[in-house]
Each structure stands twice: as structure tokens, then as C-alpha cells.
Amino acid sequence: MSTHRAVHVQSSGGALELVDTQTVSPERGQVRVAVAACGVCGTDQAIVNGGFPGMAWPVTPGHEIAGTVAEVGSGVTDFAVGDRVAVGWFGGHCGVCTQCRKGFFIHCEKGQIPSLHYPGGYAESVTVPANALARIPDELSFVEAAPMGCAGVTTYNALRHTRAVAGDLVAVLGVGGLGHLGLQFAHAMGFETVAIARGPGKEADARSLGARHYIDSTAGDVSAALRDLGGAAVVLATVGNSQAMADTVGGLAPRGELVAIGVSADPLPISPVQLIQPALSISGHPSGTARDVEETMHFAVLSGVRALIEERPLAEAASAYAAMEQGQARYRMVLTI
């Protein structure tokens, strides 16, 4: 029986420990992937700290996975050993529940997420449902592809499902792991892009990433600043701060959209009177299916969008995670194997 190295968290809030663990061969409809790179995502904090119901320990975090197919289970005909693949937050769907039958695979009632439903990508090997796999274009390295499975697809997919068209004013709230990709995608889509962040420190980065305008949220009324620019067709909210999201609503143009992808459990302090006359809408957007990840990577190749990445070896997973948790990481941290 073969083994591989993987990171284990033994209990909620526990340390990230590199251990030898059993390598699982794929069953029917599964493949085993030799991991080459895995992104360290902010959502990993919730997983490490037991923030989801019914979690089984130990947990191996990681849901921004890129690597090579190493073994193929029975019934899998569309992937072969050696294929370059990515697996993101979307970790497989059942195909038979009501939402799957409607074609809404991202809402599968038995949907799987790497690290929550099977061991994740802080490891040398992962075994996953074949329908979770996205093909990596030749033009992207494994390190470049890994963040596209969550941060990339979440920002790109959210923007392309808005009603904004080229030339519209689109604001990205937050210039961090999600926001720095949102700015690049918004610019590449032809939007007049606005970055909103706390303090002046991110302005140079934001402008280099495609922002035409920069709003320091500590320097005045964010909504007023957006209105001075003509009003935003879309605000893509990438920060997990409900008040910061609400502070942008008055800056939306009529029929504007606030799209929340930053995670917070706090209520949004927004009143119906703010929404009714200008016919504003507020929506949440999940990440995207395996096909959405493929389309995100394809657009990244066409447009040159790339995550800004700091690489660390798997053996330094604990320090890489700590740097992300403490806000000391570069925009995206990626473990390499």
C-alpha cells in the first residue's frame, strides 16, 4: 500500500502537520491527481477552524489544486493519465438531484468540496470525482492555474454574469486575494474600473492592475465618490465586511448591482428605500463549475490576467497558511509540490 505526504489538521483550530498518509486509488468515476500546486485560500481558515457542519477530522485543506492525472478509475473515458487538470472549490456533482437535472451543477444537493468532502490539495496526491476536473491550457503553468480554481473563477464568473457592458463603470471593493484578480478581469472586459480600498497604500498596485480610478474608503464617503464618477453599474464586493459593502450602495447607478463574493455572516445594513426607486439589486455569487474554471483559464490566457503569487514548498504549508491568516502574504500564496 503506497503513501504520500499530506498536511493534516487533527482537530478544529489545530496545527498544520505534514504527515505520511495512505494514497487512495480512484474508484468508479474518480481520478487520482498528482498535485503540482495548491493555492492557500482565505476560506481555508474556516475549514481549519471547523467552520462547516459535519466535518470529519483530520482535515487536509486545499481547494485550489493543479496537477497531473496519475490514475483513472473505471467508467472515466474523458481523462487519461498525464492530462494537466485543476480542481477548485467545485469538487464534483452528483448529476441526479433536482438542481443537477436543471443544469445547476454548482447548486448540487450532494455537491462536494475538496477538504470538506474528501482530502484536499495540501498534499502530493488527491483522489477526486472526474466531473470536478478542469483542463489546464498549455499556456498556464500549474502555479498560475491553481488560484483560478477558486479566486479566479469566483471573480471572473461573477463579473461576466452581471448586466454591465464594455465601457460601464465597475467598482471592485477590496484589493486583496480576490480583488486584485477582479480588477484585472474587469479591466480586460473593457469596463471603466474603480478600485475601493482602505487607505492610500494599495493605489499604486490597483492602478497597475487595471484600475482607472482609486477610492480611499477612509478619506470620505465612498458612495459620493462613486456618484462623482457617474455611478457604478456594478460593485463587486470582495471583502468580508458587510458595512463596507453597504457603504457602496448609494454609489450605484439606476439598475446597478452589488455582487457579494466576500464572505461575512454579519447582516447587510441596507434598507428597502435605498433599493426601490433606483431599482438596485443585491446578489451573491458562488464560484463556478469545472467548465467555468476552464473558461476562466481560457480568458486568462487571452487577456494576460494572472494572480500575483508567492510560492512556498509543501513542507512550509504551516508558515504559508499563517502568513495568509495574518494578512502578511502576497496576494495569493501557492504551495508547490
Side-chain angles (χ1 to χ4, degrees):
M1 186 175 296
S2 61
T3 62
H4 66 273
R5 293 189 305 162
V7 170
H8 276 187
V9 180
Q10 297 294 340
S11 60
S12 177
L16 278 68
E17 300 174 337
L18 192 61
V19 302
D20 290 324
T21 189
Q22 180 182 343
T23 302
V24 178
S25 292
E27 299 180 355
R28 182 173 182 81
Q30 295 181 328
V31 302
R32 186 173 68 80
V33 176
V35 180
C38 184
V40 179
C41 181
T43 312
D44 293 340
Q45 295 179 65
I47 291 164
V48 168
N49 290 298
F52 293 87
M55 291 181 61
W57 303 91
V59 160
T60 296
H63 58 266
E64 291 184 340
I65 304 165
T68 305
V69 174
E71 285 186 75
V72 177
S74 61
V76 177
T77 59
D78 47 346
F79 290 94
V81 171
D83 286 352
R84 302 172 74 244
V85 295
V87 184
W89 180 260
F90 177 85
H93 65 278
C94 74
V96 297
C97 72
T98 299
Q99 296 303 317
C100 284
R101 292 175 65 197
K102 289 180 177 181
F104 300 145
F105 302 128
I106 193 67
H107 302 303
C108 174
E109 295 167 13
K110 298 179 181 177
Q112 298 183 74
I113 297 168
S115 71
L116 289 178
H117 297 94
Y118 50 81
Y122 291 16
E124 293 174 332
S125 174
V126 294
T127 299
V128 305
N131 61 23
L133 298 178
R135 296 185 184 277
I136 299 174
D138 292 340
E139 296 88 345
L140 291 184
S141 70
F142 290 122
V143 169
E144 291 170 331
M148 295 297 169
C150 182
V153 70
T154 301
T155 50
Y156 174 67
N157 215 23
L159 286 167
R160 68 174 180 164
H161 283 94
T162 67
R163 295 186 293 272
V165 297
D168 281 351
L169 192 76
V170 170
V172 177
L173 174 62
V175 184
L178 290 171
H180 91 287
L181 282 165
L183 287 172
Q184 292 181 72
F185 282 126
H187 175 72
M189 291 174 172
F191 301 138
E192 183 179 354
T193 305
V194 184
I196 307 169
R198 290 182 58 81
K202 291 288 184 74
E203 181 169 2
D205 276 4
R207 291 190 183 276
S208 71
L209 293 165
R212 185 178 181 87
H213 309 281
Y214 184 84
I215 297 173
D216 174 0
S217 62
T218 68
D221 186 322
V222 171
S223 288
L226 287 172
R227 290 195 300 271
D228 288 345
L229 295 172
V234 171
V235 171
L236 180 67
T238 72
V239 297
N241 184 317
S242 295
Q243 186 62 57
M245 293 184 193
D247 289 344
T248 69
V249 170
L252 289 169
R255 299 195 172 275
E257 303 171 73
L258 170 62
V259 182
I261 59 175
V263 178
S264 172
D266 296 329
L268 279 169
I270 295 168
S271 67
V273 72
Q274 293 177 272
L275 307 177
I276 294 170
Q277 181 58 36
L280 306 181
S281 61
I282 301 171
S283 61
H285 192 87
S287 58
T289 65
R291 179 56 190 166
D292 293 325
V293 174
E294 290 180 342
E295 292 175 356
T296 300
M297 291 191 288
H298 176 66
F299 187 78
V301 169
L302 293 177
S303 62
V305 172
R306 299 290 189 275
L308 299 180
I309 290 166
E310 179 180 340
E311 297 181 36
R312 297 278 189 92
L314 179 63
E316 296 179 16
S319 63
Y321 171 84
M324 177 275 298
E325 187 178 37
Q326 296 161 15
Q328 298 172 348
R330 199 155 186 245
Y331 288 102
R332 298 306 288 187
M333 191 80 75
V334 175
L335 302 175
T336 56
I337 296 89

